[in-house]
Amino acid sequence: GAVVSQHPSWVICKSGTSVKIECRSLDFQATTMFWYRQFPKQSLMLMATSNEGSKATYEQGVEKDKFLINHASLTLSTLTVTSAHPEDSSFYICSAREPQGRTKRLGETQYFGPGTRLLVL
Amino acid sequence: AQSVTQLGSHVSVSEGALVLLRCNYSSSVPPYLFWYVQYPNQGLQLLLKYTSAATLVKGINGFEAEFKKSETSFHLTKPSAHMSDAAEYFCAVSPPIYNQGGKLIFGQGTELSVKP
């Protein structure tokens, strides 16, 4: 149990285009999903917290108009990198957590997707 | 505010030797603590977690960690390293879910190399 998928696993796009990344919880419902960015040989940087049915909460320094997050259902959150530029190239990872009232099985744990590698040319 | 420090960005051990990856945290409230492993070009896999139950926590793949409040530490150990243990390891802290929505704060990561 507790499987999280991401799609696509990697994407190459031209500068100025937009890219959408999907994050799905496959065997549990996730009212909260998190989006991270990871540069080579570095730790994960939290970009935003996505709550089902409400606006995402962005971390300081993250442009909300640049990184659009939608959490339309209990199993799906999407991250759209708008007007991508080469500096947006990175490894993007999502995680999902069960609703607070159902933490007996999974506790306070975040379960991570396999990541999406984005290369902007 | 919570923070995590992993001592040593790179640790190298011989196959069969003890693995010790260090993690110290700072937290104003009793935290939850986690160890995750990341293989190249993959997401993070949970190794083990401490959520205020037993202070010695056993995880997958033979790893375990001990929560020591007096030392504010949560070091990860494995008695005998395997080649397949070579990966990046992240320690993370999270305040209880009612505080900050369960955000994870990660350490800088420790790359474990295992020599034959």
Side-chain angles (χ1 to χ4, degrees):
Chain A
V3 179
V4 177
S5 70
Q6 278 184 245
H7 177 81
S9 56
W10 61 273
V11 57
I12 302 174
C13 69
K14 293 182 179 180
S15 186
T17 61
S18 294
V19 175
K20 179 183 285 188
I21 302 170
E22 293 186 349
C23 177
R24 293 181 185 270
S25 55
L26 298 185
D27 54 359
F28 67 101
Q29 293 182 327
T31 53
T32 303
M33 291 184 173
F34 301 85
W35 287 95
Y36 297 85
R37 184 172 180 178
Q38 186 181 32
F39 292 102
K41 300 294 184 181
Q42 295 189 25
S43 189
L44 281 73
M45 179 190 79
L46 179 64
M47 299 174 67
T49 302
S50 167
N51 292 296
E52 187 264 339
S54 64
K55 290 183 179 180
T57 302
Y58 290 82
E59 295 299 301
Q60 191 173 6
V62 177
E63 300 176 59
K64 55 185 69 175
D65 294 331
K66 173 76 171 176
F67 300 99
L68 300 179
I69 292 173
N70 183 273
H71 192 158
S73 78
L74 287 173
T75 59
L76 173 65
S77 176
T78 61
L79 168 68
T80 301
V81 183
T82 62
S83 186
H85 288 97
E87 58 265 29
D88 298 324
S89 299
S90 191
F91 193 52
Y92 293 89
I93 307 175
C94 73
S95 70
R97 191 186 67 210
E98 273 200 325
Q100 186 173 354
R102 301 182 187 179
T103 54
K104 286 184 179 180
R105 182 172 73 90
L106 294 180
E108 311 295 346
T109 306
Q110 290 184 28
Y111 291 88
F112 285 79
T116 297
R117 185 154 312 275
L118 170 63
L119 177 61
V120 184
L121 302 176
Chain B
Q2 286 77 24
S3 67
V4 178
T5 301
Q6 290 182 240
L7 298 177
S9 59
H10 185 234
V11 170
S12 182
V13 300
S14 298
E15 192 173 18
L18 171 71
V19 175
L20 171 61
L21 304 182
R22 299 177 187 275
C23 173
N24 287 87
Y25 69 92
S26 67
S27 177
S28 57
V29 297
Y32 297 137
L33 293 157
F34 304 82
W35 275 100
Y36 286 89
V37 61
Q38 184 180 34
Y39 297 99
N41 296 309
Q42 295 187 27
L44 275 66
Q45 180 182 6
L46 179 68
L47 280 177
L48 49 82
K49 62 182 179 182
Y50 167 77
T51 56
S52 72
T55 57
L56 182 61
V57 181
K58 294 186 183 298
I60 63 171
N61 301 340
F63 285 94
E64 62 181 39
E66 186 172 7
F67 172 69
K68 291 186 176 180
K69 185 177 180 180
S70 61
E71 299 178 7
T72 61
S73 68
F74 191 57
H75 302 331
L76 181 71
T77 60
K78 182 174 180 177
S80 176
H82 293 168
M83 297 296 292
S84 60
D85 294 328
E88 187 84 18
Y89 291 81
F90 292 97
C91 181
V93 62
S94 175
I97 197 167
Y98 57 80
N99 187 2
Q100 297 190 45
K103 288 182 184 180
L104 277 177
I105 299 164
F106 285 91
Q108 306 91 318
T110 298
E111 182 180 3
L112 175 66
S113 299
V114 182
K115 299 175 290 185

